[in-house]
Amino acid sequence: MPKQRITKEMILDVAFKLARENGYEQVVVKNIAVAIGCSVQPIYSYFSNMEALKSAVVEAAMRFYNEFIYSRADKENALESMARANVAFAKYETNLFKLLFLQKLNGLNSFDDIYEWMGDKQATAQLSKKLSLSEEKIKEIYIMLIVFTHGVATMIATGGANISDDESATILEKALKAFIKAQE
C-alpha cells in the first residue's frame, strides 16, 4: 500500500487554521478538504467523525492559548500579567477566544471547576507568599479576577468595546487591588 501523502497533523493544522482565521463554524470536512486539495476520505481515515476532529481542534486551541498566556506571563506578577494576556488573547485571537470561552464547556459547573481548569497553582502559591494571605484567599482573588477578566475580554472579543491595551491593563490592575483588599 503506498504511503498516504495527507497526514493527520496536516489535517489538524488546516482545521486549526480555519478555526483561528475564520471561526470554529468553518471547521467542516469540505472546507478542510478544499484547503488541503484532497477528497474527504483522508480526513475520515484519521478522524472517525466530526466530533473527533473538532475535539482535536479544541485541544490544539487550548495548547495555543496556554502558550500565548505563559509566553506573556511575568513571574514577579503572574496573576496580573496572565489577566492582561487573557484580554490580549481575546483581542488578537478573537476566533480562538470565542471557541474556548464563548460556548458551553462541559464539566464546568462551579467557580471551583473554572479555577481547576484555568487557574495556575504556582501563581496562587507565589501570590500567597507575597501577600501573606492563605492560598484559599488567593484562590478566591484568582476566581474573581478570572470572572472580571473574562468580562473585559468578552466585551472586546464580541466587538462590544474597542478598549486599548493600556486601558484594559489599568482596569485589571485596579480590579486585582480591590479583590486583594477585600480578602485582607
Side-chain angles (χ1 to χ4, degrees), residues 7-153:
T7 66
K8 184 175 185 176
E9 292 76 24
M10 184 185 300
I11 294 165
L12 186 54
D13 287 348
V14 168
F16 176 78
K17 184 177 179 183
L18 283 169
R20 185 177 181 196
E21 294 176 2
N22 304 316
Y24 190 54
E25 58 280 351
Q26 295 302 309
V27 179
V28 294
V29 174
K30 181 181 177 190
N31 292 348
I32 296 165
V34 167
I36 294 174
C38 69
S39 70
V40 299
Q41 189 280 327
I43 299 166
Y44 284 119
S45 70
Y46 289 112
F47 297 95
S48 58
N49 57 42
M50 276 308 292
E51 278 305 307
L53 176 58
K54 287 191 168 196
S55 178
V57 171
V58 170
E59 288 174 19
M62 185 52 80
R63 282 191 303 275
F64 183 89
Y65 169 77
N66 286 328
E67 290 171 13
F68 186 98
I69 298 301
Y70 286 105
S71 70
R72 288 159 176 78
D74 171 10
K75 292 183 193 257
E76 296 302 313
N77 297 303
L79 204 55
E80 185 181 335
S81 64
M82 290 188 315
R84 282 193 313 270
N86 194 56
V87 171
F89 186 78
K91 186 172 188 174
Y92 300 110
E93 296 292 343
T94 303
N95 288 324
L96 294 180
F97 179 85
K98 289 176 181 178
L99 165 62
L100 294 173
F101 302 110
L102 296 184
Q103 65 178 341
K104 179 160 176 45
L105 298 168
N106 293 324
L108 298 182
N109 300 308
S110 69
F111 288 117
D112 282 336
D113 290 347
I114 293 168
Y115 174 80
E116 288 302 317
W117 182 59
M118 291 186 71
D120 182 307
K121 305 213 180 11
Q122 276 188 306
T124 301
Q126 175 201 47
L127 198 57
S128 175
K129 287 179 185 172
K130 184 176 179 180
L131 298 176
S132 298
L133 292 172
S134 71
E135 286 194 24
E136 193 57 37
K137 286 188 179 229
I138 298 300
K139 180 180 170 184
E140 288 180 32
I141 292 167
Y142 205 141
I143 289 169
M144 289 186 285
L145 189 60
I146 288 171
V147 172
F148 186 85
T149 301
H150 188 77
V152 173

